[in-house]
Amino acid sequence: MPTDMTPGRWQHTGDYLDTVFGRADGHLAGLMPRAVEAGIPDIAVSASVGRMLLCLARLVEARLIVEVGTLAGYSGIWLARGLAEGGRMLTIEPNDLHANFAQRAFEGAGVADRVEVVRGFGTPELERLAGEMPGAADLVFLDAIKTEYPDYLPHAKKLLRTGGLLVADNMLGGGGGGDWWIDAPPGQNASRDAADRVNRLVAADDGFEAFCVPLREGVLVARKR
Ligand SMILES: C[S@@+](CC[C@H](N)C(=O)[O-])C[C@H]1O[C@@H](n2cnc3c(N)ncnc32)[C@H](O)[C@@H]1O
């Protein structure tokens, strides 16, 4: 953890942002506590990251969103609420407990008519979708296995339309800000090294205009040129 982001101050900033920007309805606010009771880990994005996802979807007038890593449907509900009229979201999840819970969560949030839970793994499903409908997605959100992000990247890029957004969580840290942080030396944590690799690949790629928001554990946002 960098010295100017001491855990207490960082947590305080995150809590402030969630309180001010993360306003959510009762269904969304109670979702992760219900998920934890059902045996699902408490590793969803924060409310303020959720708000950012909704805003980004609205900014690109998203008609097709692809999410990798559904968990309990928390980020998916924020994203689905940002869809344009008639839009749809595919969310990829290999774990049946998570996928079944998320399906019910989408129904409870009133977005199940526009969301499809795709049961499968990120790399092959992204590759399949990119082959079937290249250039069709307005927004691709990566939030699954960090060491697989380098494999997701070329398929996500192919799947995006020009002007579409690649958004990826955990690009500065993981495990609640404690397990690893991006300023650690390379070679000690595979997730840190994968995030660093993807940040640098995307930043150096003339096919993207990219920035990384230091919100919670870091969110990469890259617009496909
Ligand atoms: C960090 S959680 C996703 C959180 C969710 N996006 C949210 O913020 O509400 C990661 C999810 O990825 C799923 N997952 C695990 N391996 C995966 C893989 N190879 N491809 C896609 N998803 C995977 C896990 O089961 C878990 O539900």
Side-chain angles (χ1 to χ4, degrees), residues 1-215:
M1 183 75 64
T3 50
D4 61 343
M5 293 180 188
T6 57
R9 191 164 195 182
W10 190 241
Q11 184 62 46
H12 182 72
T13 305
D15 291 348
Y16 170 83
L17 291 169
D18 286 344
T19 302
V20 176
F21 294 100
R23 185 172 30 87
D25 66 20
H27 179 76
L28 202 44
L31 183 61
M32 287 316 298
R34 290 196 303 278
V36 169
E37 273 178 27
I40 294 174
D42 192 10
I43 53 172
V45 299
S46 65
S48 49
V49 171
R51 174 72 57 190
M52 185 176 79
L53 294 173
L54 182 152
C55 290
L56 291 173
R58 290 244 167 97
L59 282 169
V60 293
E61 298 178 359
R63 296 188 56 78
L64 177 64
I65 294 173
V66 177
E67 176 182 60
V68 186
T70 313
L71 193 69
Y74 183 81
S75 56
I77 292 170
W78 283 104
L79 284 164
R81 288 180 174 171
L83 282 166
E85 188 71 31
R88 68 191 178 111
M89 182 176 84
L90 308 175
T91 179
I92 300 166
E93 175 58 58
N95 180 309
D96 279 336
L97 172 69
H98 300 181
N100 292 339
F101 186 96
Q103 181 62 46
R104 290 192 299 275
F106 293 134
E107 286 160 13
V111 297
D113 58 337
R114 70 208 81 149
V115 177
E116 181 187 340
V117 181
V118 177
R119 291 165 195 255
F121 293 95
T123 306
E125 289 303 327
L126 279 177
E127 182 173 18
R128 178 180 65 78
L129 292 170
E132 286 174 8
M133 44 183 176
D138 302 288
L139 193 156
V140 174
F141 177 51
L142 306 181
D143 191 17
I145 303 299
K146 313 316 162 190
T147 50
E148 293 180 4
Y149 280 23
D151 300 324
Y152 301 157
L153 188 57
H155 306 307
K157 187 176 178 187
K158 183 174 170 187
L159 185 54
L160 282 168
R161 68 162 165 88
T162 300
L165 297 179
L166 174 70
V167 183
D169 193 31
N170 295 107
M171 300 309 283
L172 295 177
D179 282 6
W180 61 271
W181 205 253
I182 203 71
D183 65 342
Q188 295 182 357
N189 184 291
S191 296
R192 191 222 77 93
D193 292 352
D196 182 42
R197 186 162 160 225
V198 170
N199 278 329
R200 290 174 191 277
L201 277 172
V202 171
D205 186 339
D206 287 338
F208 284 119
E209 291 157 329
F211 57 97
C212 188
V213 186
L215 183 55

